[in-house]
Amino acid sequence: MPTFFNSWLPFIYLYVGGGIFFIAGLILIRKTKALDMRLKRHRFWWKVLIFGYFYFMAIHAFLIIAALYL
Amino acid sequence: MEQIHNIGTQLDWAVLVIYMITMLLFGSYFAKYNKDTNDFFFGGRRFSWWLIAMSIVATGISSHSFIKYSAMGFKYGFSSSMSYMNDWFFVPLFMFGWLPIIIYSRIRSIPEYFERRFSPFARFLVTVLQLLYLIGYVGIGFLTMGKAIMPLMPEYFSFFGYQIHVTLMGLIWVTAAITGIYITFGGQTAVIFTDLVQGTMLLVAGLLVFFLGISYVGGWDSFWNLLPKSWKLPFAGFNEPAEFNSVGTFWEDAIAGSVGFLFMNMGLIMRFMATKSVHEGRKAAAANVLFMLPISAIVVGGGGWVAKAISVMNPSIIPPDINPDSVFIVVSNILTGPGVFGFVVAAIAAALMSTVSTLVNAASAIYVNDVDRPIRIWLKKLSRDKHLPEKKAMLVARISTVGLTLLGVLAVYAFVSYPTVYQAHAFFHATLTPPLMVAIFFGAFWKKFTPAGLITTVIGGISLMLLGNRFPYELIRPIAHGTPYDPVHPYTYMSALYNLIVCVSLAVLTTVFRRQLKKLSDIIIDSKKHFIMYPIIGFTVIVVVVDILVAVLKLETFSLELLLTSTILASFFVALISTHYIKYDAERQTQGLTIWSINKAMEMYKGKKVNEREGEVVKVHWKLIKDDNDDVVNFSERDMHKMAAEVGDLVYISDARKYLGGLKSVHSVYGEPHNEDGIVYIRKRHLEHGLFVDGRILIAEKEM
């Protein structure tokens, strides 16, 4: 059985490390009004951006579980 | 490792040749859409998101992916897909920062942005880095192409009794000659449309090999159970082995590589510049990262995965010690029959060509805009407010593509010593991306970032990176997260983190202390002791040259302590020299060029206040006004109301046939309305650029 060091740690490292860059990006585009929540199109994109992060996280989590237990 | 030769049949060769010729003819058909260099480089800025997304797939996959990811997939498993599933982190900043900035500022190249934002010297530095980046990428493309075609070739050709041995570099030179001809006559429109076909064929070829492989080993359950558990994980080991680990891939690929690909790959940027609007560019980016990349991960890695399963099932068919860079070709040959194998190799080879053509096209755009033009202005052969005549500009573009193709082949020699293409590519990313990445990021997202910050990042940063390259054990090991030290290629991946740290540190320090640097510069100006700058410049130049020599020639003349101290001091001097000599108007040079003034950028693009009201798309018939050629089109009052448009707003008109992807389309401005509903009056210029067909319905939508 692969250890935590080689299974879940890379997952945590990727989504915490990458998450810092991602959240900083989200804050910046809101703060600068580059993404303007008054516009319908921009509200759509806001949801897509957040969805994308959890979408990849879910795929990776599923693949780890499949590798370890299926 | 076993080197494979002579696989495939004559039928495969015939398919390969027919496919190449078809692609060349198909591409050249679209050359008629190249009216000027804007069309040649940016495809007239008219295309739909799906066409661009597909083109990005063909460009992204083809250069090196089949070979390197199949190799890593064979050796390490599903974790070879890591690089295709970690690109989302910077998408917000790309979609709402860099993409609108490059579109609305109407730049023709990334270095041009740096001149407007900082100074001509900044443009010069970024031009050098961009050309190195693109030429290096072309080199990687050629190396891959050589490795892909090599297994098909015999060990030697007999020619009138002489034996000509087939070598990798010989093959690359021949491939480069063929590609060079293709690139010289292709334009962006041709590249985008050939990419559409090639992208589709790539996906089909990759998925075909994967699914045939699963069937070959007895179905999904059999495939799954043949593979070792650790091999099925989606991530490599955290910090080992040295040649492929998660933490290294995170810094080299998820951080430096993703930014490199999205933000500073001029070939990719030119694709986004070819979209009809920023909104369409966002759709292309999202579709590509969310859907196309996960599919692409299977397409490029699948060959290696099924090869592993076959190797476990029957090592006599695929030996475990096979050369990993040959795995995809070998497994494709096993799984497909004569002719189909030719199709698989043709799809890969032609698509590799499309990637190289994209990159050379991009490098050529940079050469025309950022090397040739400034030199002509400097030599006073061209005034600053004028452009080279289109015919001459096209000639320069074509000649430069030939020269850049040759440089691309020479770049192969820098990468050929690496055991796999994957490592060669990783080293390349880790080395060239950080200074450009910091320059673009801080330039676009931090309005306080000054020319001194940028120049110090590039010159000081590269000097410190060279020291890291020369003394990896001392400088990179402390931050290497325990990844093993490989004396031949030390810290191929973790050098990206070290390089990022030194570049970011210099950028931040120079920007934070910008007032103190200005004061110091003012003191020198007030005391009228300008001569003091000369020894400072001399010292700085000597230190940078010594750093280059120490890294390139592996000199042991100077101690690390001395080199490090003198390089940090030289970096401070670079900041002072830049502050002293470069004229910079922070207010003017950030307006519309950073994320903090995107709305201003939109106003500047439009030339008046932006109309944000959201309207509908309308269908109209067109009529031509022959006696005036202004850049305005006239709709009925009711149609303008539907589109929520006002006179002076920007409009995009396109042939209603969606499958054309905007090929027949044009951008213009709303003129005074009339009262004939469902009719748009266009001018001769719109007909020439849009190539509208008589009687065909058009669709129109307000841009802003």
Side-chain angles (χ1 to χ4, degrees), chain B residues 381-409:
Chain B
K381 289 191 173 176
L382 189 72
S383 65
R384 196 166 278 278
D385 54 337
K386 284 193 176 160
H387 284 277
L388 211 57
E390 279 303 331
K391 219 172 176 180
K392 211 169 182 180
M394 289 289 275
L395 183 68
V396 173
R398 290 198 163 116
I399 292 172
S400 65
T401 56
V402 176
L404 291 161
T405 307
L406 290 175
L407 286 174
V409 180

Side-chain angles (χ1 to χ4, degrees), chain A residues 5-6 13 34 49 55-56 68, chain B residues 88 229 238 251 289-290 481:
Chain A
F5 202 65
N6 287 334
Y13 196 92
L49 290 172
Y55 163 79
F56 282 110
L68 294 180
Chain B
W88 195 250
K229 220 176 233 315
F238 181 69
W251 287 105
V289 181
L290 284 178
H481 291 58

Side-chain angles (χ1 to χ4, degrees), chain A residues 5-6 10 13-14 18 21-22 32 34-35 40-41 45 48-49 52-53 55-56 59-60 64 66-68 70, chain B residues 85 88-89 92 96 224 229 232-235 237-239 246-247 250-251 255 279 282 289-290 481 595-596 614:
Chain A
F5 202 65
N6 287 334
Y13 196 92
L14 178 68
F21 289 99
F22 181 71
T32 55
L35 185 135
K40 198 175 154 192
R41 271 184 178 181
W45 282 118
V48 171
L49 290 172
Y53 181 82
Y55 163 79
F56 282 110
I59 293 176
H60 275 134
I64 293 175
L68 294 180
L70 294 182
Chain B
M85 308 271 278
W88 195 250
F89 306 126
F96 288 90
W224 187 256
K229 220 176 233 315
K232 288 188 273 195
L233 285 165
F235 296 106
F238 181 69
N239 58 4
S246 285
V247 70
F250 174 80
W251 287 105
I255 304 302
H279 184 64
R282 285 178 186 138
V289 181
L290 284 178
H481 291 58
I595 194 171
W596 298 88
E614 291 173 25

Side-chain angles (χ1 to χ4, degrees), chain B residues 346-362:
Chain B
I348 296 165
L352 288 167
M353 277 187 176
S354 96
T355 301
V356 170
S357 70
T358 297
L359 294 167
V360 175
N361 188 254

